[in-house]
Amino acid sequence: MLPVLTLLGTGFWMLMIFDCVRNDPEKGTWLWILIFLNVPGAFIYFLVRRAPYLNLPMPKALKRWTQRDKIWDAEAAARNIGNPHQFVNLGNLLLELGQIERATNAYEQALSKEPQNSHALWGMASIDLAAKRYAPAKERLEMLVKQEPDYKFGAASLAYGQALFELRQWDAACEHLVDDIKRWSHPEAAVMLAEIQRERGDRTAAKNTLETMIFKLKGTPKFYYRQKQHLLRQAQRMLKTL
C-alpha cells in the first residue's frame, strides 16, 4: 500500500511541477516551493494556484488567502480610480468570500456615484434576499428589472418575483410571475404562483400551473432536470393537496 501511495504522490508532484512551468506566471517562486517541499508543496501549490480556477469548494478562510492579491488589487483600484465599476468589482469579490459588511459598503459606494448601476443593485438585492430583508430587495429589484428586464438571463426577474411573494403582495406577484414564466419558464416562479393560487382558493389554476411546470421541466436537458429535482418533488406534493 505504501509504495502505491508514494508513487501516486510522486506523480502528483511531477504533474504540479509541469503545470507550474507551463502555466504559472509566478513559477520562479513556486518552483522553489515545489522542489524543497516535495509532495506537501504540490498540495499547497494545487490549493493556492490551481483550485481557484477550477471552481472547487474551499473553506472561506483558505479562499480569502488565495484571493488576497485580487482583493488588494480591487481595493487599490476602488481607492485610486473610484468609478462604480471598481466598487462593484470589489463588492463582488468580497461577497463571494462571505464578507457581507464590506461588500455592502462597496456596493453602496457604487450606488452613491451611480444610483441605477445594475450590478450594484443586484449585489445589494442579493445581500438583502439572503438576509430576508424583502422590502429593500424588492425596491432595488424593481428598479433593476425596469431598466434591464433580461438581467442575468432572468435571474433578477425571478428574484423580484420572490421578493413580491415573500411580502405577500399577491396581485403584483401574480402579474409578475405569470410574465416571468412566459419569458423564462422558471420552475421556481411556477411553484410560487401555484402557492398564491392555492391560497386564494383557485385550486384548478394551481393544478394547471404545476402540471404545466412538471411537463416542461421533464423536457429540459438532464443536467438542468437533476438540478431542479427538489422543485419537482415540491410540486408533486402540492398536487396531492389540490
Side-chain angles (χ1 to χ4, degrees):
M1 185 67 179
L2 187 58
V4 174
L5 292 176
T6 302
L7 184 62
L8 289 173
T10 302
F12 181 69
W13 175 63
M14 293 176 67
L15 180 63
M16 291 300 101
I17 289 178
F18 176 77
D19 181 88
C20 181
V21 171
R22 186 172 181 179
N23 300 314
D24 201 303
E26 298 180 17
K27 56 178 172 281
T29 299
W30 283 99
L31 273 175
W32 285 109
I33 294 174
L34 285 162
I35 290 169
F36 281 105
L37 295 183
N38 204 280
V39 176
F43 281 101
I44 293 171
Y45 173 82
F46 176 78
L47 289 172
V48 174
R49 305 299 290 177
R50 296 269 49 88
Y53 298 98
L54 298 175
N55 293 319
L56 298 176
M58 290 189 295
K60 286 184 179 178
L62 179 60
K63 204 169 185 180
R64 282 196 294 269
W65 186 56
T66 59
Q67 298 291 323
R68 66 191 187 282
D69 288 342
K70 285 186 179 180
I71 293 176
W72 190 90
D73 290 341
E75 287 177 332
R79 197 176 299 117
N80 295 329
I81 303 174
N83 291 332
H85 170 77
Q86 281 75 39
F87 282 106
V88 167
N89 184 47
L90 176 59
N92 290 342
L93 278 171
L94 294 169
L95 183 59
E96 183 182 349
L97 297 174
Q99 299 188 30
I100 305 301
E101 187 174 342
R102 294 179 65 195
T104 299
N105 181 63
Y107 291 133
E108 287 176 343
Q109 291 284 340
L111 290 171
S112 69
K113 297 172 180 292
E114 187 182 340
Q116 293 186 322
N117 184 284
S118 299
H119 305 305
L121 287 170
W122 175 248
M124 287 296 294
S126 299
I127 292 171
D128 287 333
L129 285 175
K132 297 184 178 181
R133 296 190 295 264
Y134 298 114
K138 178 237 174 185
E139 292 180 8
R140 300 183 201 280
L141 290 165
E142 185 174 23
M143 185 184 303
L144 176 55
V145 296
K146 280 183 179 178
Q147 62 191 35
E148 289 191 49
D150 298 340
Y151 186 81
K152 293 280 185 183
F153 301 101
S157 171
L158 179 61
Y160 180 54
Q162 180 191 352
L164 292 170
F165 175 81
E166 296 292 349
L167 291 169
R168 299 181 69 84
Q169 296 181 9
W170 294 147
D171 291 339
C174 275
E175 182 180 352
H176 180 77
L177 290 170
V178 167
D179 182 68
D180 181 272
I181 293 167
K182 287 179 181 177
R183 279 172 170 263
W184 305 103
S185 295
H186 287 132
E188 297 89 343
V191 169
M192 286 187 285
L193 178 60
E195 288 192 12
I196 295 172
Q197 291 166 336
R198 184 178 62 176
E199 284 283 321
R200 289 178 158 179
D202 194 346
R203 292 174 175 268
T204 301
K207 183 179 179 181
N208 290 338
T209 298
L210 292 172
E211 288 177 342
T212 302
M213 182 273 277
I214 293 172
F215 178 78
K216 288 183 177 179
L217 187 58
K218 288 183 176 179
T220 59
K222 287 185 178 179
F223 77 93
Y224 184 81
Y225 179 74
R226 286 195 295 267
Q227 288 178 352
K228 303 299 180 180
Q229 282 294 295
H230 64 291
L231 289 167
L232 178 63
R233 290 191 293 269
Q234 185 179 351
Q236 290 170 337
R237 286 195 300 268
M238 285 180 64
L239 277 172
K240 292 178 180 178
T241 68
L242 297 173

